[in-house]
Amino acid sequence: AIKLLAELKEAHYQATIVEPARLEIQRYLRGALARKEARRRRKKRIAAILIQSHIRRMASAAMRIKLQIMRTRRLAINQIQKIWRGKLDRWVYQALQRRAARIRVRTILIPLVQKRIRGVLARKYVQNYQKVVHAAKCLQKNYRSYLDCIKVIEERRAAEAAKRDIYASNIQRRVRGILARVRFVSLRRSIAGIRIRAARVILRAWRRCQGWRKWEEHKRKWQLENAGRQLLALHDSAQEVCADMHDVRCDMKEVRDQRRWYKSRIKTISEFQFQAQVRLPIIEEELEKMEAPDVDAGWAEALENEHSRLCGQLAMAKEEKHLLKVSIKRFDAQLRDLQLEFEDLEVDLDDLASSEHDIFEFLHRAELERAEKMAQRHHERQVSLQRARWRVNDIRTHLLNRTRTEQHQLIADALEPLQLQMASTLSFKNRISFLNQAKTKAKIADTQHRTERLQADIESNQSHVTKLKDTYDSVITGCAALLQTAAIDLRLNKTSF
């Protein structure tokens, strides 16, 4: 019983004291070992993170140095080659050197190259189409000019035939006139010859007036035809200039669209850079606050991958932004050139419009001059009718009141004071000058003499107007009867030449 009691006490001691103490000791020991292992792992993780950060920093520094070397090399290439070849060479070089650039080549360069190639093909198609249209216009223009030339040749042949008829009629008229003059030589020496001469003067003046009016009419028609041709040429030129302006507007619109797309792309890249710059400090802060369970869960590796990816994308975005700015500058230069070309076309269009306005102004002036001449002729005709009805101081009255003997006597009287000077000079020019002075003085004296005689006749005889009118009517009546008789006699002996 004592032994059993002792065993019970021992069991109670073990259960109440030893076992809790052993568990407590084990708990403390395991906690210390776990904390020691956690500190060792934490130090190991921090050391690994520091080693990785130093290695990545060294790798990024080496990459920056390598990128600087590559950038310097690219700048040297850009100075030697053109911008677009340098751009393509950089893209190809970066695609060969960096794996990350392959994504940019697939996502950015290939669409741009396709766009350029499609643009080149479209421009070639438009150029070929414009050449075909221009060739068609040239063929149409040449065919129309050929038709116009044929029409002009036919008109010229008709005009030449008409001229031949006119020339034949003129020859016949001249031959008949020669025969008539030979027949009427005896009549010129008689009193009736004076009437014939007066009638010939009247007829010659009338024919000269008719010929002058026909020449003016032909001149006016020629001017109108020439103005019409000039207007057609100006219209064709204006249409060509408008077509060129439309092409320039289309080119400007295409360039503006490309520039707008590039600007939107730069804006997108800027927003991405801002978001990336905001995200990088957050990632670095998360890495510093990272615990062991998070590291074991893979969050550190994901954040590091995101950090490296953002750094690479920032570098690529910076390079792409630089290239886009260069392209925008090139588009601005193209827009300035197109704007200057458009302004030159507007100046050409204004010049054509001013030329067309001048031609229309010329036509308007020609029409006004024609209307004024018609009005003047009508007025002269009315004045002539009134002068034939009422007596006025005109050249007809002066001719009727003047004789050739009196005129020669007046010239001799005017030359009498200049006889000594004409005899003492040896210059033919001076003699002609003295003779012209004498004729001028004689004309003035003749005008005064005729005026005095006419005034004296008016004062002496109030019926002078009636006598003058009767005399003129008798002259015209005698000439008409004589010409009618002569014309009948000549018409019997006409021979066609």
Side-chain angles (χ1 to χ4, degrees):
I2 295 171
K3 186 178 180 179
L4 182 60
L5 184 62
E7 289 178 359
L8 290 173
K9 287 183 181 180
E10 184 66 24
H12 180 72
Y13 176 75
Q14 290 289 335
T16 57
I17 296 174
V18 176
E19 188 65 25
R22 184 173 61 81
L23 293 175
E24 187 70 23
I25 291 168
Q26 288 179 357
R27 186 172 64 81
Y28 277 107
L29 181 60
R30 289 173 182 170
L33 292 174
R35 282 192 295 273
K36 184 177 180 180
E37 183 66 22
R39 284 194 298 270
R40 184 178 67 80
R41 290 184 179 181
R42 185 176 182 181
K43 287 179 181 180
K44 186 177 179 180
R45 182 178 61 80
I46 293 172
I49 292 170
L50 290 175
I51 290 169
Q52 288 178 358
S53 63
H54 283 292
I55 290 171
R56 288 170 181 164
R57 190 178 297 111
M58 291 174 66
S60 62
M63 182 60 70
R64 283 196 297 273
I65 293 170
K66 187 175 181 180
L67 289 174
Q68 185 67 29
I69 294 170
M70 291 167 62
R71 190 178 293 110
T72 305
R73 186 177 300 171
R74 285 197 304 272
L75 290 174
I77 293 171
N78 285 332
Q79 292 178 359
I80 295 171
Q81 297 179 347
K82 299 293 182 179
I83 294 175
W84 65 275
R85 293 182 65 185
K87 181 168 63 177
L88 293 177
D89 290 336
R90 282 197 303 275
W91 282 352
V92 173
Y93 183 78
Q94 290 174 3
L96 294 174
Q97 293 295 327
R98 292 184 299 178
R99 181 176 177 275
R102 295 177 184 174
I103 300 173
R104 184 167 61 87
V105 169
R106 290 195 299 268
T107 57
I108 297 175
L109 182 59
I110 291 174
L112 290 177
V113 172
Q114 290 177 353
K115 183 178 180 181
R116 294 299 182 94
I117 292 172
R118 290 169 183 168
V120 170
L121 293 176
R123 283 191 291 274
K124 285 184 179 179
Y125 176 77
V126 171
Q127 289 176 0
N128 294 328
Y129 181 76
Q130 289 179 354
K131 288 180 180 179
V132 171
V133 172
H134 182 69
K137 288 183 179 179
C138 291
L139 290 174
Q140 290 178 359
K141 185 177 181 180
N142 293 329
Y143 182 72
R144 289 171 182 171
S145 62
Y146 173 73
L147 294 179
D148 294 336
C149 291
I150 292 175
K151 186 178 180 180
V152 170
I153 290 170
E154 291 177 355
E155 291 177 357
R156 187 179 297 171
R157 289 177 180 174
E160 289 176 356
K163 286 182 180 179
R164 284 196 298 270
D165 296 335
I166 292 171
Y167 292 157
S169 300
N170 289 333
I171 292 170
Q172 291 179 0
R173 187 174 65 251
R174 287 180 183 275
V175 173
R176 290 168 184 169
I178 290 170
L179 296 176
R181 284 192 294 273
V182 171
R183 188 168 181 177
F184 289 108
V185 168
S186 59
L187 294 177
R188 292 180 183 175
R189 298 175 182 176
S190 62
I191 299 174
I194 299 173
R195 298 177 180 178
I196 292 173
R197 185 173 57 188
R200 287 181 61 194
V201 169
I202 294 170
L203 291 173
R204 189 184 300 115
W206 173 249
R207 289 174 180 174
R208 188 180 295 112
C209 179
Q210 291 293 326
W212 179 257
R213 289 181 180 179
K214 288 181 180 179
W215 180 82
E216 286 184 347
E217 186 66 23
H218 287 302
K219 181 181 177 182
R220 187 180 67 82
K221 290 181 179 180
W222 177 81
Q223 289 177 351
L224 291 175
E225 292 177 358
N226 190 19
R229 288 192 295 269
Q230 291 180 359
L231 286 174
L232 290 175
L234 290 174
H235 181 68
D236 295 337
S237 300
Q239 286 183 348
E240 292 178 359
V241 171
C242 291
D244 294 338
M245 291 175 68
H246 179 69
D247 295 338
V248 171
R249 288 195 191 97
C250 293
D251 294 339
M252 291 175 68
K253 184 177 181 301
E254 183 179 358
V255 173
R256 286 195 183 99
D257 293 338
Q258 293 180 358
R259 186 174 179 274
R260 192 178 301 110
W261 186 86
Y262 275 57
K263 279 195 171 183
S264 64
R265 180 62 182 171
I266 289 173
K267 184 177 179 181
T268 305
I269 291 171
S270 300
E271 292 177 356
F272 170 74
Q273 287 179 347
F274 176 75
Q275 293 176 2
Q277 290 174 0
V278 172
R279 178 63 180 168
L280 284 175
I282 296 172
I283 293 172
E284 292 175 356
E285 185 178 357
E286 291 292 335
L287 286 173
E288 291 178 357
K289 294 180 180 180
M290 192 66 64
E291 298 293 336
D294 297 332
V295 173
D296 295 336
W299 290 104
E301 185 178 359
L303 291 174
E304 288 172 359
N305 292 332
E306 184 179 1
H307 187 273
S308 61
R309 187 171 62 253
L310 285 176
C311 291
Q313 289 177 356
L314 280 174
M316 292 170 63
K318 184 178 180 182
E319 186 66 22
E320 184 180 358
K321 187 176 182 181
H322 175 69
L323 295 175
L324 291 175
K325 287 182 179 179
V326 171
S327 300
I328 287 174
K329 289 182 180 179
R330 180 167 56 81
F331 288 150
D332 292 337
Q334 291 179 2
L335 282 174
R336 286 194 295 270
D337 295 338
L338 291 173
Q339 186 66 30
L340 292 174
E341 184 179 359
F342 187 77
E343 291 177 357
D344 293 337
L345 291 174
E346 286 183 344
V347 171
D348 294 338
L349 190 62
D350 293 339
D351 294 337
L352 293 174
S354 63
S355 301
E356 189 174 357
H357 176 72
D358 295 338
I359 293 173
F360 280 114
E361 187 68 24
F362 169 74
L363 294 175
H364 181 64
R365 288 198 303 269
E367 189 65 25
L368 290 178
E369 290 177 358
R370 179 172 173 273
E372 289 178 357
K373 287 181 180 179
M374 291 179 65
Q376 183 68 23
R377 288 173 185 173
H378 180 71
H379 177 70
E380 290 176 356
R381 184 178 180 184
Q382 295 296 325
V383 170
S384 177
L385 291 175
Q386 293 298 326
R387 282 183 177 179
R389 184 178 300 175
W390 306 101
R391 199 247 352 141
V392 293
N393 295 328
D394 55 358
I395 189 68
R396 184 183 64 196
T397 307
H398 292 175
L399 287 173
L400 292 174
N401 291 331
R402 182 180 62 176
T403 61
R404 192 172 297 276
T405 305
E406 292 179 357
Q407 190 175 6
H408 287 298
Q409 185 65 33
L410 290 172
I411 294 174
D413 295 339
L415 283 173
E416 186 175 358
L418 301 174
Q419 290 294 331
L420 181 60
Q421 298 178 2
M422 292 180 66
S424 61
T425 185
L426 297 177
S427 175
F428 178 76
K429 185 176 181 180
N430 292 335
R431 292 175 63 85
I432 294 297
S433 178
F434 293 147
L435 185 61
N436 291 332
Q437 292 179 8
K439 287 181 179 180
T440 303
K441 291 181 180 180
K443 186 176 180 180
I444 294 172
D446 186 26
T447 303
Q448 293 178 357
H449 180 66
R450 285 187 282 112
T451 303
E452 292 175 358
R453 178 180 292 182
L454 183 62
Q455 189 67 28
D457 291 341
I458 292 173
E459 292 176 356
S460 62
N461 191 2
Q462 296 296 330
S463 63
H464 180 75
V465 176
T466 306
K467 292 181 180 180
L468 183 61
K469 185 176 180 181
D470 294 339
T471 303
Y472 180 76
D473 292 337
S474 63
V475 170
I476 296 300
T477 304
C479 291
L482 185 60
L483 290 175
Q484 184 177 5
T485 306
I488 291 172
D489 295 338
L490 287 177
R491 193 178 297 116
L492 295 175
N493 297 324
K494 279 186 179 180
T495 303
S496 177
F497 292 94

